[in-house]
Amino acid sequence: ASPRTTSDPHIRIVIAFWWLMLIVLMNTFTGHMKASMTVQEELPRLDSVQDVVDHPDVTPVIIRGSTYEEIFQDSTRRDHQLILRRARQARSVLPPRHIFTKSTFDDVLAGRKVIFLDTVLFYYWVGRFYKRLPRGEFYLSREAVVYPAMGMWLNRRVDPRLARVMHVRSRWITESGLTRRWKYLLVERCRRKSGGLSDSQGQPL
């Protein structure tokens, strides 16, 4: 470099363009580095039982005694059998009190676990645990294991006659649209509480 500045206008223009290009390249590189350091890599989306099977680092969590456990246990599908086997090996077939905890949902948020449950429970517990979601996203899978119109828990020792009456009454409630209305109100309330829920039109695993 020379300590003397040139008086030739053509050379001045070339030098000005060179400095301008250098500044643009420096800013571009700096922005790329900041983005690489601050933005976390998006976790792969799991939209089916097979997707969970294909990710051995993800632990499937199943509610003990639920419809999902019975479906996986009686199913002849290979992916269902593999999911149940992995859950049993990981000891993640658990009673509800051990599943519906914030630590379990934190593992789901981090991509370490997947919980098989219905939509209402999903929205209820996410809305209860997270007023404002941290980094990450909860979402519903696009492929459902089961499409329940309504779920009900009964003790095995309940009188069969009483169970039949309760079944008939629950069907009346479902067909009247009350359960759908209640579900809609619950979902909207949970969406307002936690703004980070996915807007995907998927179905619960």
Side-chain angles (χ1 to χ4, degrees), residues 67-77 80-81 84 88:
T67 304
Y68 296 99
E69 184 182 14
E70 292 187 10
I71 289 175
F72 293 145
Q73 188 169 343
D74 298 334
S75 177
T76 57
R77 285 178 47 172
H80 287 182
Q81 295 171 355
L84 183 60
R88 286 174 173 172

Side-chain angles (χ1 to χ4, degrees), residues 22-88:
L22 184 63
I23 293 173
V24 171
L25 289 176
M26 288 178 60
N27 288 335
T28 303
F29 178 76
T30 303
H32 177 73
M33 288 297 296
K34 288 182 179 179
S36 300
M37 295 174 65
T38 57
V39 177
Q40 294 182 343
E41 184 179 355
E42 185 176 353
L43 295 173
R45 186 181 174 99
L46 307 178
D47 277 322
S48 66
V49 176
Q50 186 60 49
D51 288 345
V52 181
V53 172
D54 293 338
H55 289 78
D57 56 325
V58 176
T59 301
V61 179
I62 304 171
I63 302 174
R64 182 178 298 165
S66 66
T67 304
Y68 296 99
E69 184 182 14
E70 292 187 10
I71 289 175
F72 293 145
Q73 188 169 343
D74 298 334
S75 177
T76 57
R77 285 178 47 172
R78 177 67 174 168
D79 54 348
H80 287 182
Q81 295 171 355
L82 291 175
I83 283 293
L84 183 60
R85 183 186 306 171
R86 187 190 300 177
R88 286 174 173 172

Side-chain angles (χ1 to χ4, degrees), residues 6 30 41 86 110 123 125-126 141 146 198:
T6 179
T30 303
E41 184 179 355
R86 187 190 300 177
Y123 279 109
W125 287 105
V126 171
S141 69
V146 62
S198 171

Side-chain angles (χ1 to χ4, degrees), residues 4-172:
R4 294 182 300 175
T5 58
T6 179
S7 59
D8 190 336
H10 299 89
I11 297 179
R12 285 175 176 267
I13 293 174
V14 172
I15 294 176
F17 272 108
W18 184 82
W19 276 108
L20 181 62
M21 183 180 64
L22 184 63
I23 293 173
V24 171
L25 289 176
M26 288 178 60
N27 288 335
T28 303
F29 178 76
T30 303
H32 177 73
M33 288 297 296
K34 288 182 179 179
S36 300
M37 295 174 65
T38 57
V39 177
Q40 294 182 343
E41 184 179 355
E42 185 176 353
L43 295 173
R45 186 181 174 99
L46 307 178
D47 277 322
S48 66
V49 176
Q50 186 60 49
D51 288 345
V52 181
V53 172
D54 293 338
H55 289 78
D57 56 325
V58 176
T59 301
V61 179
I62 304 171
I63 302 174
R64 182 178 298 165
S66 66
T67 304
Y68 296 99
E69 184 182 14
E70 292 187 10
I71 289 175
F72 293 145
Q73 188 169 343
D74 298 334
S75 177
T76 57
R77 285 178 47 172
R78 177 67 174 168
D79 54 348
H80 287 182
Q81 295 171 355
L82 291 175
I83 283 293
L84 183 60
R85 183 186 306 171
R86 187 190 300 177
R88 286 174 173 172
Q89 290 175 348
R91 297 182 179 179
S92 56
V93 182
L94 302 168
R97 67 177 181 274
H98 292 157
I99 292 178
F100 299 124
T101 62
K102 190 173 184 301
S103 61
T104 301
F105 279 77
D106 285 343
D107 287 339
V108 174
L109 194 62
R112 292 188 291 268
K113 292 181 180 178
V114 166
I115 306 178
F116 290 87
L117 74 169
D118 63 81
T119 312
V120 174
L121 286 175
F122 166 78
Y123 279 109
Y124 174 78
W125 287 105
V126 171
R128 181 172 177 176
F129 288 142
Y130 303 94
K131 303 304 179 184
R132 287 290 182 272
L133 286 181
R135 289 185 179 180
E137 179 189 36
F138 286 106
Y139 62 88
L140 304 174
S141 69
R142 291 189 172 91
E143 177 187 288
V145 175
V146 62
Y147 294 90
M150 180 177 177
M152 182 171 61
W153 296 72
L154 284 177
N155 192 302
R156 293 182 179 180
R157 299 185 182 89
V158 170
D159 189 317
R161 292 172 297 179
L162 176 60
R164 283 195 296 271
V165 172
M166 294 178 66
H167 176 72
V168 172
R169 297 300 190 275
S170 65
R171 290 302 307 175
W172 289 352

